[in-house]
């Protein structure tokens, strides 16, 4: 459009065209100027409105802040007024208490003055009485005092000696009872699992075809395995089982693990057998050391020689009269700690001696010495303290006891071995005792069921609600306890619990 207008003006020609062009241009300029002015006015008004809006918002925010501050100031002022009122009240209370104390102080002073006067009067009376006594007795006050003191001394000596004799007699009477109480409490506070070891291990196989591969051509494989492990392998008609026989549990364990690896691998021949047995021996030796370390950490026994730790680990594969030696050593250690604490001795030393007391039973080389003496020698060799060595060597009375740890270890060793179910020799007697407990309770009228639980330390008796009432169950409990005391021999104590209950059963159909 801007280009067309000048062209038209030129076509029209002359001054007329130029005038027309200038007029049109002026009009357009005025129009643009007016439009810009109006747009500026609109922008100005919008900006003013925006500024006013921001101003009003800021003003409202400031008013809210001022109002909040005024509320805080008002609250603080109220709190100060309350504190002022409280302080005024306390001041009034203090003033009143001060007045009361002043009055009490005045009364006390008056009483003290009165007491002082009475004391003076008493002193005068005592002097007069003393003078009269001296005249009547013919002795001075100092002489009479000395005679009285001497007579009191003689009487005190006589009473003291009599009291000492009574204490000694009472101690002699109660010492045995107190010792039994400590032993019984120690037994009842410590309980561990019972582990029974045999001289054979049964190795289970998936099918009987494996037996032929284990035997090998003309028995080469089984002979190689027996020579490498030092055990006797019995392959008979027993389905899916091979018997590994040896007096040494470590050898049996090495043979068992070697068989497991050989069968899993599938290659069974003499060279492979020797390789696997050598590898398993190393694994078992590492497991022995790890077991010893873990046992020492569990019991809190620190600073043991590495060789002693290895010996403790070997106990896992030894048994004594069917009782696992490591379990026996752990149990004895815990018993020694508890008993030493009861007697006021060092429980850590006692636990250490209890853990090491049977190290002579797992020697690397055979010794002609008894296991207690040999264990004491080993402990001394590996720098254990003299009291620990003596407790180990003397726990079977084969050496003189020189410390109080020795009798504790001896007693706790006996407790662990004699605990019901611990050793194979007394399992039958243990089971018989539980049966006898239940039979004694079942012999009473009204008893329906009996259960011996907690290794025979508790007997629960169920009675019929229609045959025995609540007043009779206490007498029944006492009668059963008295009869058990009279007729049976047992360690510790037996708790008799009589239970009487009534049940009502209905069915909704």
């Amino acid at each position: 459009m801007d280009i067309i207008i000048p062209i038209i003006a030129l076509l029209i020609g002359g001054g007329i065209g130029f005038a027309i062009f200038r007029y049109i241009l002026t009009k357009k300029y005025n129009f643009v100027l007016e439009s810009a002015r109006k747009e500026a006015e609109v922008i100005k008004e919008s900006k003013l409105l925006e500024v006013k809006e921001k101003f009003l918002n800021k003003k409202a925010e400031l008013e809210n802040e001022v109002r909040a501050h005024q509320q805080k100031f008002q609250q603080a002022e109220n709190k100060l007024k309350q504190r002022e009122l409280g302080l005024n009240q306390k001041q009034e209370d203090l003033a009143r208490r001060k007045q009361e104390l002043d009055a009490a102080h005045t009364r006390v002073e008056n009483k003290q003055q009165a007491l002082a006067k009475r004391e003076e009067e008493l002193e005068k009376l005592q002097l007069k009485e003393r003078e009269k006594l001296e005249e009547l007795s013919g002795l001075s006050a100092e002489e009479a005092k000395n005679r009285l003191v001497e007579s009191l001394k003689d009487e005190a000596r006589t009473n003291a000696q009599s009291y000492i004799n009574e204490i000694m007699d009472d101690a002699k009477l109660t010492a045995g009872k107190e010792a039994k109480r400590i032993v019984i409490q120690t037994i009842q506070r410590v309980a561990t699992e019972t582990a029974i070891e045999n001289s054979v291990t049964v190795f289970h196989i998936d099918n009987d075809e494996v037996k032929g591969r284990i035997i090998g051509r003309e028995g080469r494989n089984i002979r190689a395995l027996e020579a490498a492990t030092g055990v006797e392998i019995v392959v008979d008609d027993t389905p899916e089982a091979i018997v590994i026989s040896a007096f040494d549990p470590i050898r049996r364990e090495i043979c068992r693990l070697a068989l497991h690896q050989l069968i899993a691998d599938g290659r069974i021949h003499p060279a492979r057998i020797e390789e696997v047995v050598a590898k398993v021996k190393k694994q078992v030796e590492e497991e022995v050391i790890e077991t010893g370390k873990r046992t020492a950490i569990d019991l809190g026994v620190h600073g043991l020689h590495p060789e002693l730790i290895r010996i403790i680990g070997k106990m896992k594969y030894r048994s004594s009269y069917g009782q696992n030696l490591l379990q026996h050593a752990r149990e004895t250690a815990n018993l020694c700690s508890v008993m030493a604490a009861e007697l006021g001795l060092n429980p850590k030393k006692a636990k250490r001696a209890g853990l090491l007391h049977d190290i002579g039973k797992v020697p690397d080389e055979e010794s002609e010495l008894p296991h207690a003496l040999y264990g004491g020698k080993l402990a001394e060799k590996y720098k254990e303290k003299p009291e620990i060595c003596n407790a180990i060597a003397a726990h079977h009375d084969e050496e003189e006891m020189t410390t109080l740890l020795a009798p504790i270890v001896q007693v706790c060793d006996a407790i662990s071995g004699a605990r019901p179910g611990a050793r194979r020799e007394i399992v039958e007697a243990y089971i018989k005792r539980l049966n006898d407990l239940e039979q004694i309770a079942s012999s009473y009228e009204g008893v329906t069921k009996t259960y011996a639980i907690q290794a025979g330390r508790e007997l629960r008796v169920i009675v019929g609600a229609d045959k025995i009432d609540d007043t009779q169950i206490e007498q029944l409990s006492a009668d059963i306890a008295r009869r058990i005391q009279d007729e049976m021999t047992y360690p510790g104590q037996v708790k008799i619990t009589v239970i009487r209950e009534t049940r009502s059963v209905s069915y909704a159909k």
Side-chain angles (χ1 to χ4, degrees):
M1 187 68 183
D2 293 337
I3 297 172
I4 295 172
I5 293 172
I7 292 172
I8 294 171
L10 289 173
L11 291 174
I12 295 173
I16 298 171
F18 181 77
I20 293 170
F21 172 72
R22 189 174 64 177
Y23 175 77
I24 293 170
L25 190 64
T26 303
K27 281 288 186 180
K28 184 176 181 180
Y29 173 77
N30 291 334
F31 177 76
V32 171
L33 186 65
E34 184 67 22
S35 299
R37 186 183 62 78
K38 289 181 180 180
E39 187 176 354
E41 288 293 333
V42 171
I43 293 170
K44 180 180 177 182
E45 289 178 0
S46 66
K47 291 294 182 182
L48 285 173
L49 289 172
E50 185 178 351
V51 169
K52 285 182 181 180
E53 184 178 359
K54 288 183 179 180
F55 174 75
L56 291 174
N57 291 335
K58 289 289 184 182
K59 183 179 178 183
E61 290 177 0
L62 289 173
E63 287 177 352
N64 290 333
E65 290 180 1
V66 169
R67 195 178 298 109
H69 284 302
Q70 286 179 349
Q71 290 178 355
K72 290 182 179 178
F73 290 149
Q74 187 65 34
Q75 291 175 357
E77 186 177 358
N78 293 335
K79 288 182 180 179
L80 289 173
K81 287 182 180 178
Q82 291 177 358
R83 288 182 181 178
E84 186 177 359
L85 292 173
L87 290 172
N88 292 334
Q89 185 66 31
K90 288 182 179 179
Q91 286 180 351
E92 292 176 359
D93 293 340
L94 288 173
R96 185 175 66 256
R97 289 182 181 178
K98 186 178 179 182
Q99 291 176 357
E100 293 175 356
L101 288 173
D102 291 339
H105 184 64
T106 303
R107 290 195 296 272
V108 169
E109 288 181 349
N110 295 332
K111 288 183 178 179
Q112 287 179 347
Q113 292 175 0
L115 287 172
K117 290 180 181 179
R118 290 185 180 180
E119 286 178 356
E120 291 178 0
E121 294 175 357
L122 286 172
E123 286 179 358
K124 291 178 181 178
L125 289 172
Q126 286 178 353
L127 289 173
K128 291 180 181 179
E129 292 292 333
R130 187 180 298 170
E131 291 174 356
K132 289 181 180 179
L133 288 171
E134 289 178 355
E135 290 178 1
L136 293 172
S137 63
L139 296 173
S140 65
E142 192 66 26
E143 292 175 350
K145 186 190 295 182
N146 291 335
R147 290 189 180 184
L148 180 60
V149 168
E150 290 298 328
S151 65
L152 289 174
K153 281 182 180 180
D154 293 337
E155 185 179 355
R157 287 194 193 99
T158 304
N159 292 337
Q161 188 62 39
S162 175
Y163 185 64
I164 289 171
N165 292 335
E166 289 178 1
I167 291 175
M168 292 294 291
D169 293 339
D170 185 62
K172 289 177 182 178
L173 291 173
T174 59
K177 183 178 180 181
E178 185 67 16
K180 290 178 182 178
R181 183 188 66 81
I182 292 174
V183 170
I184 291 169
Q185 285 185 351
T186 304
I187 295 171
Q188 292 177 339
R189 285 170 59 183
V190 179
T192 63
E193 298 176 354
T194 300
I196 300 297
E197 294 285 346
N198 297 312
S199 61
V200 296
T201 299
V202 178
F203 181 78
H204 296 281
I205 56 178
D206 293 335
N207 56 70
D208 290 340
E209 295 178 0
V210 180
K211 292 182 179 180
R213 296 170 57 196
I214 292 172
I215 295 171
R217 183 179 298 176
E218 297 178 357
R220 290 187 308 170
N221 293 347
I222 194 169
R223 285 199 302 271
L225 187 58
E226 288 179 343
T229 58
V231 303
E232 181 184 357
I233 300 175
V234 181
V235 181
D236 53 16
D237 296 334
T238 306
E240 298 181 355
I242 295 173
V243 177
I244 304 169
S245 176
F247 70 92
D248 188 343
I250 294 181
R251 295 180 187 175
R252 297 202 308 270
E253 182 67 9
I254 291 172
C255 182
R256 186 186 69 82
L257 293 175
L259 274 174
H260 181 74
Q261 291 190 18
L262 288 168
I263 292 172
D265 184 34
R267 294 178 294 164
I268 305 176
H269 53 80
R272 178 62 178 165
I273 288 170
E274 291 179 358
E275 179 186 350
V276 170
V277 168
K279 183 179 178 181
V280 169
K281 282 182 179 178
K282 186 177 180 181
Q283 291 177 353
V284 170
E285 185 65 25
E286 291 175 354
E287 185 181 351
V288 163
I289 295 172
E290 183 62 27
T291 300
K293 289 181 180 178
R294 188 166 57 250
T295 300
I297 291 170
D298 290 346
L299 294 175
V301 178
H302 306 291
L304 288 172
H305 191 278
E307 190 61 27
L308 289 178
I309 290 176
R310 190 180 70 83
I311 291 173
I312 292 170
K314 287 176 65 177
M315 289 182 181
K316 178 182 177 181
Y317 302 99
R318 291 287 191 276
S319 61
S320 177
Y321 297 99
Q323 185 181 25
N324 182 266
L325 199 58
L326 181 59
Q327 292 284 8
H328 169 63
R330 291 172 66 103
E331 183 174 299
T332 303
N334 288 323
L335 286 167
C336 288
S337 175
V338 174
M339 187 171 288
E342 289 285 343
L343 297 173
L345 302 176
N346 189 332
K348 290 185 178 180
K349 286 185 179 180
K351 183 180 286 187
R352 192 184 193 94
L355 177 63
L356 299 175
H357 81 283
D358 270 347
I359 57 175
K361 286 187 176 181
V362 284
D364 291 327
E365 54 186 18
E366 293 298 326
S367 173
E368 295 180 357
L369 292 173
H371 78 272
L373 294 177
Y374 184 63
K377 296 288 184 184
L378 286 175
E380 186 177 358
K381 177 182 177 181
Y382 297 120
K383 310 301 182 184
E384 287 296 319
K385 293 182 179 180
E387 57 264 35
I388 304 293
C389 298
N390 176 255
I392 295 170
H395 78 274
H396 282 314
D397 291 324
E398 291 162 339
E399 184 176 302
E400 185 180 356
M401 297 182 181
T402 58
T403 66
L404 290 175
L405 287 181
I408 289 177
V409 172
Q410 184 184 51
V411 169
C412 292
D413 176 44
I415 291 171
S416 176
R419 176 172 51 76
R423 295 189 173 178
R424 189 180 297 116
E425 294 175 311
I426 59 172
V427 171
E428 293 181 0
Y430 164 66
I431 295 173
K432 184 177 183 302
R433 179 167 67 84
L434 299 186
N435 290 331
D436 291 343
L437 281 173
E438 293 182 352
Q439 288 176 5
I440 287 174
S442 299
S443 64
Y444 285 87
E445 186 179 355
V447 175
T448 58
K449 295 179 182 178
T450 58
Y451 302 101
I453 60 176
Q454 294 188 8
R457 290 197 294 269
E458 183 176 353
L459 180 64
R460 292 192 178 176
V461 182
I462 312 297
V463 298
D466 55 340
K467 297 179 180 179
I468 296 178
D469 56 24
D470 289 339
T471 60
Q472 294 175 321
I473 59 174
E474 292 185 3
Q475 184 62 39
L476 177 62
S477 176
D479 292 343
I480 295 173
R482 192 179 305 109
R483 186 173 169 189
I484 290 172
Q485 289 177 1
D486 295 340
E487 298 182 8
M488 296 187 62
T489 302
Y490 50 90
Q493 60 184 10
V494 180
K495 177 183 177 183
I496 293 89
T497 304
V498 179
I499 301 172
R500 176 181 180 270
E501 61 182 3
T502 303
R503 295 187 184 185
S504 178
V505 180
S506 300
Y507 296 95
K509 297 180 182 179

